Amino acid sequence: MMLSFTPDTSSARSPAHSSAHSRRNAILGSALLALAVLVLPILISASGSMTWLRIADIALLYIMLALGLNIVVGFAGLLDLGYIAFFAVGAYVWALLSSPHLAQAFPALGPEGLHWPMWVILPLGACIAGLFGVLLGAPTLRLRGDYLAIVTLGFGEIVRIFMNNLNQPINLTNGPQGITRINPVMFGQFSFGKSVTFGSITVPSLMLYYYLFAALAVLIVVASIRLQDSRIGRAWEAIREDEIAARAIGINTRNIKLLAFAMGASFGGVAGGLFASLQGFISPESFGLMDSICVLCMVVLGGMGHIPGVILGTLLLTGLPEALRHWAGPAQQALLGKVVIDPEALRMLLFGVALVLVMQFRPAGLWPSSTRQRELEELADTLPDDENDNDDDDDDDDEASQRSKEVRS
Amino acid sequence: MSLLSVRNLHVAYGAIQAVRGINLDIAAGERVCLIGSNGAGKTTTLKALARLLPAQGELHYDGHDLQRLPAHGLAKRGLALVPEGRGVFARLTVLENLLMGTYSRNSSKGEQEADVQRVFGLLPRLAERAQQLAGTLSGGEQQMLAIGRALMSHPKLLLLDEPSMGLAPIMVQKIFDVIRSVTEQGVTLLLVEQNAHLALSLCSRGYVLSNGCITMQDDSKALLANPQVQATYLGMHMA
C-alpha cells in the first residue's frame, strides 16, 4: 500500500508546487513585459528614429489584427484567408466618418463632411466589421478547411474590389485614389496627430499613438484571454476538434461559429480604424490578399490558439522585414558593392523561408501553448513504457498495472 | 409509454434513400440494438435520431417532438450520441474531454468534479490517463472516453454507434462490459452494431436493418436462434 501511494502523492504535490511557482513567474514576467512596453518608445525616440517608432505602432496594430484572426483560426479552427477585409471595413468606417470626403457625395452634410468623435467611430467600426464577419460566416457555416479558405479568400477580394470601385455611381470610397485628410485620434481638443510639449519634454505624435495602441492591444489581449477561458472559448475548442461531437454535446455550432467570425472581425475593425487615423490616408491597396496572408502567417508562425505565441509571431514578422528593409540594402552595398536582391523581394523570401522552417521544425508554431508542449514531451518520454502497458493490459489489466507500479517504484 | 418512438422514418442523401420508413420503439431502461451489414442504414438512422441529418417521419423522445428540436438541444434533454469514430477532441486532455461533456448542463465546479469521479469510477482507465491528450489514447481508450463524455451529460437515452469498430476482441469485451454496467444504472440504450453476436448478447431486443428497412425484430434470444440471422449476420452458415 505504502509503495503504491508514493507516486500518487508526489505527482499530486509537484503540480501544486509548480503552479505556485509559475504564478510568481507569470506576475514577474508580466511586470517586466509591461515595463518594456512602456519604455520601448522612449528608447526608440532617444535613438532619434521616427521610422522605428512608426514600425512599433504598426506592430501593435498587427497584434490586434492577429489576435482577432487567432479567434477565428486558432480558437475555432476556421481557416480565414480574407481576414484583412474586416481591417478594411474598420478603416473605411473611420475614414468616412472622420474626414471631409463624404461631403463630396452628400453635400447636405456641409462642406466639412463628418467628424465624429473616436468614442463613436471606433465602437461603430468594430460593430460594422463584426456585422461583416457574420455576413461572411453565414453562408460558410457548412464549409471547413480548404473550401472555407477559398470562400473567405473570395470574400476578402470582393470587399477590396468594392472599395476600389465604389466611386460610382456615388463617390463613397473614392476608388483607387483612396481617402485623404482623415482625422487623427482626438480626445476632445487634444490631438494625437501633433507632438505635445510638456515643459521641456516633447512627445512626438507617433509616441502618443504608441501608448494608445498599446493600451488597446492590452485590452484585446485581455479580451482574448477571457474569451479563451470562457464557456464560449471551450465551445470554439470543441468545434475546432470535432464539429459533430460538438453538436452532440449540446453546442449550438451555428451561433458559436458566427460569434467567432463576429468577434474576430470586430477586433480587426478596431485595428482598421486606428490604422486609418494613424496614416491619415487609406486606399484599397492596403487591403489585398497578401495582407490577409501576412496576418495568417503571424498567427501560424507564432502558435495558433496561443496568445503569447501569436504576439511573438506578429512581432517577428513585422520587425524582421523592416530590419531587412533598412539594413539589407546597405549591407549588400558594403559587402558586394551593389544591391543584388531588392530588400522588398527579400522580405517575401524571408516570409517563405520562415514558414517552411517553422512547419518543418516546430509544426505547432514557435511558441505553442506550454501545457500542450509539456504533455507532448512527457508523452514522448513515456511512450515505449506506455505501449508495453497497453499490450500487458490487454492480457490482464490488474496484473499489468500492478507490475508497472512495481517497476516504477 | 416508450422513451423513444420512431414512426415511418425516411432519410435520403439527395436522390438516394438510405432509410425507408422504419419504426422503432424503446421503453425506458431497455437495451435495444440495431444490427445490419455495411450500408444498411444503421448509422444514418442514429444520426437522424440525433438530428444531425434532415429526416422525414415522426420522432418522439421523452415527450418531445424530436423534429422540433435542434441537434444541440438534445444533450440537455438527456439524449446523448456517441458518434461513429468516437469523435473525441484529440488535442484536449482526457479530463478536458470529459468536462466538455457537461457543456449543456451549466453545472457548478463541484458537480463537475462529482461527475468526473463517477465516470472515473466506471472507467478507471480514464482516471489513469486523465492528463493525457485524447488523440494519443489507444482506440479502445478513445471509445471509453467517448462513452464517458456522453455520460457526463447524465443521459437518459444513449445512442451508441459501432463501439466495437476497429478494436481488438479483448478491448471490445471490455467496452461492452462498461456499456452493460452503464445501462444497469438506468440508462436506456440504443446500440448500432455490426457485430451482431455481441450486440444481441448485450441487448434484450434487436432490430435487423437491411437496405434501409427493418426486416426483423424480436427478442435477442429469438434472433440469435433465427437461422436467417445466423446465416447472414452471425456467420454461422460455415458451421
Side-chain angles (χ1 to χ4, degrees):
Chain A
M1 281 303 274
M2 285 302 287
L3 274 179
S4 70
F5 266 104
T6 321
D8 283 352
T9 47
S10 71
S11 69
R13 203 187 303 126
S14 69
H17 175 253
S18 73
S19 88
H21 189 243
S22 71
R23 196 176 308 128
R24 203 168 51 236
N25 273 354
I27 292 171
L28 192 69
S30 12
L32 282 176
L33 197 65
L35 192 69
V37 169
L38 288 175
V39 171
L40 181 73
I42 300 171
L43 293 180
I44 293 176
S45 60
S47 76
S49 164
M50 281 299 121
T51 325
W52 278 95
L53 205 49
R54 174 172 289 275
I55 291 165
D57 288 5
I58 299 284
L60 286 168
L61 287 179
Y62 269 119
I63 285 176
M64 298 182 210
L65 261 182
L67 286 174
L69 183 61
N70 183 48
I71 288 182
V72 184
V73 178
F75 292 174
L78 304 162
L79 182 52
D80 185 347
L81 284 184
Y83 183 69
I84 208 74
F86 308 123
F87 186 61
V89 168
Y92 270 89
V93 167
W94 184 291
L96 291 177
L97 299 180
S98 188
S99 79
H101 173 73
L102 272 189
Q104 289 176 31
F106 306 100
L109 295 173
E112 282 307 305
L114 294 173
H115 295 278
W116 290 3
M118 168 185 173
W119 314 116
V120 179
I121 313 175
L122 208 57
L124 190 67
C127 290
I128 294 179
L131 191 71
F132 271 76
V134 174
L135 279 181
L136 165 66
T140 59
L141 282 170
R142 288 164 186 277
L143 306 180
R144 285 193 76 83
D146 25 14
Y147 299 98
L148 180 63
I150 296 285
V151 175
T152 52
L153 188 155
F155 177 84
E157 285 300 281
I158 288 170
V159 168
R160 187 182 60 82
I161 291 166
F162 262 88
M163 304 296 182
N164 222 358
N165 292 287
L166 269 183
N167 49 355
Q168 292 169 343
I170 39 170
N171 184 1
L172 206 57
T173 65
N174 209 23
Q177 280 92 47
I179 299 175
T180 52
R181 288 196 287 155
I182 300 169
N183 292 355
V185 172
M186 306 275 285
F187 283 178
Q189 289 305 306
F190 181 83
S191 167
F192 280 61
K194 296 189 285 269
S195 52
V196 196
T197 312
F198 298 107
S200 60
I201 307 161
T202 302
V203 182
S205 154
L206 284 171
M207 203 191 286
L208 294 173
Y209 271 110
Y210 175 91
Y211 287 115
L212 175 70
F213 290 0
L216 285 164
V218 167
L219 263 180
I220 282 182
V221 169
V222 171
S224 285
I225 293 171
R226 295 301 295 266
L227 277 171
Q228 190 173 22
D229 289 342
S230 72
R231 193 174 145 80
I232 295 168
R234 286 203 307 279
W236 283 334
E237 215 169 11
I239 289 174
R240 185 187 70 201
E241 296 297 317
D242 189 314
E243 202 166 330
I244 298 271
R247 286 171 80 184
I249 61 172
I251 292 170
N252 184 338
T253 52
R254 182 196 59 198
N255 290 1
I256 292 289
K257 279 163 89 170
L258 286 180
L259 192 63
F261 277 115
M263 293 296 309
S266 64
F267 287 11
V270 169
L274 297 172
F275 174 74
S277 74
L278 174 73
Q279 301 286 65
F281 162 76
I282 55 166
S283 75
E285 73 181 58
S286 308
F287 311 112
L289 176 60
M290 268 323 294
D291 301 277
S292 280
I293 291 176
C294 278
V295 181
L296 186 65
C297 287
M298 292 166 184
V299 175
V300 173
L301 189 91
M304 259 190 276
H306 187 225
I307 294 163
V310 170
I311 295 173
L312 175 71
T314 309
L315 292 178
L316 286 179
L317 286 190
T318 41
L320 289 183
E322 294 298 337
L324 268 184
R325 207 208 301 271
H326 287 89
W327 296 320
Q332 289 182 50
Q333 196 74 50
L335 287 172
L336 308 167
K338 59 181 178 182
V339 176
V340 182
I341 308 173
D342 172 32
E344 196 60 25
L346 211 55
R347 179 166 166 247
M348 294 324 292
L349 189 69
L350 179 96
F351 255 69
V353 171
L355 274 177
V356 169
L357 290 178
V358 165
M359 290 305 106
Q360 179 67 40
F361 297 107
R362 292 189 70 90
L366 288 175
W367 189 1
S369 156
S370 62
T371 51
R372 290 278 166 281
Q373 193 63 28
R374 197 181 58 233
E375 281 156 9
L376 288 170
E377 277 165 10
E378 275 174 11
L379 195 67
D381 288 346
T382 59
L383 206 57
D385 209 349
D386 257 30
E387 276 170 356
N388 286 338
D389 259 21
N390 280 344
D391 293 342
D392 289 347
D393 287 356
D394 286 352
D395 299 339
D396 191 330
D397 201 357
D398 293 335
E399 256 189 49
S401 57
Q402 198 68 41
R403 222 182 311 141
S404 68
K405 262 176 196 159
E406 284 165 16
V407 169
R408 274 171 205 156
S409 58
Chain B
M1 179 62 198
S2 52
L3 183 64
L4 178 76
S5 107
V6 175
R7 288 287 164 274
N8 204 18
L9 175 71
H10 283 268
V11 190
Y13 296 105
I16 302 158
Q17 282 281 336
V19 173
R20 317 163 192 227
I22 68 171
N23 300 320
L24 300 170
D25 278 287
I26 300 173
E30 259 196 308
R31 290 195 288 252
V32 178
C33 63
L34 194 57
I35 57 176
S37 48
N38 264 337
K42 306 183 299 286
T43 295
T44 306
T45 304
L46 219 52
K47 279 190 167 169
L49 292 178
R51 305 285 293 117
L52 295 171
L53 288 174
Q56 269 98 54
E58 288 173 42
L59 310 173
H60 288 280
Y61 159 77
D62 198 25
H64 302 285
D65 181 355
L66 275 186
Q67 293 280 29
R68 291 170 180 275
L69 288 178
H72 58 84
L74 299 177
K76 72 167 166 248
R77 292 176 177 85
L79 199 161
L81 168 74
V82 177
E84 191 179 21
R86 297 139 198 162
V88 297
F89 302 126
R91 283 179 295 173
L92 306 189
T93 65
V94 167
L95 189 60
E96 287 167 335
N97 264 273
L98 289 179
L99 291 175
M100 281 284 189
T102 64
Y103 183 86
S104 60
R105 287 177 59 79
N106 267 327
S107 41
S108 70
K109 269 251 150 47
E111 288 170 298
Q112 290 184 358
E113 189 82 2
D115 283 337
V116 168
Q117 289 310 327
R118 182 173 54 89
V119 169
F120 280 171
L122 269 171
L123 299 157
R125 177 61 70 81
L126 295 184
E128 291 169 28
R129 301 272 191 252
Q131 297 304 327
Q132 198 168 313
L133 296 185
T136 63
L137 299 178
S138 73
E141 290 166 343
Q142 287 190 6
Q143 186 63 56
M144 287 181 182
L145 178 56
I147 294 172
R149 188 179 60 197
L151 293 178
M152 292 292 287
S153 68
H154 292 254
K156 285 184 211 163
L157 172 61
L158 195 58
L159 306 178
L160 264 177
D161 199 350
E162 297 268 8
S164 77
M165 193 160 63
L167 301 182
I170 290 269
M171 197 36 120
V172 171
Q173 196 53 57
K174 275 188 193 172
I175 299 276
F176 271 71
D177 289 346
V178 167
I179 299 170
R180 182 184 294 277
S181 50
V182 166
T183 54
E184 276 162 2
Q185 298 186 345
V187 178
T188 311
L189 173 72
L190 175 56
L191 170 71
V192 156
E193 188 51 73
Q194 266 196 69
N195 187 332
H197 185 79
L198 263 174
L200 289 170
S201 23
L202 173 71
C203 297
S204 54
R205 284 198 301 126
Y207 292 88
V208 178
L209 198 60
S210 170
N211 280 326
C213 300
I214 287 177
T215 51
M216 270 180 274
Q217 59 185 89
D218 213 330
D219 286 348
S220 292
K221 274 187 193 138
L223 284 175
L224 281 168
N226 185 309
Q228 207 187 328
V229 173
Q230 286 182 350
T232 319
Y233 302 107
L234 300 175
M236 287 166 74
H237 56 293
M238 309 276 273

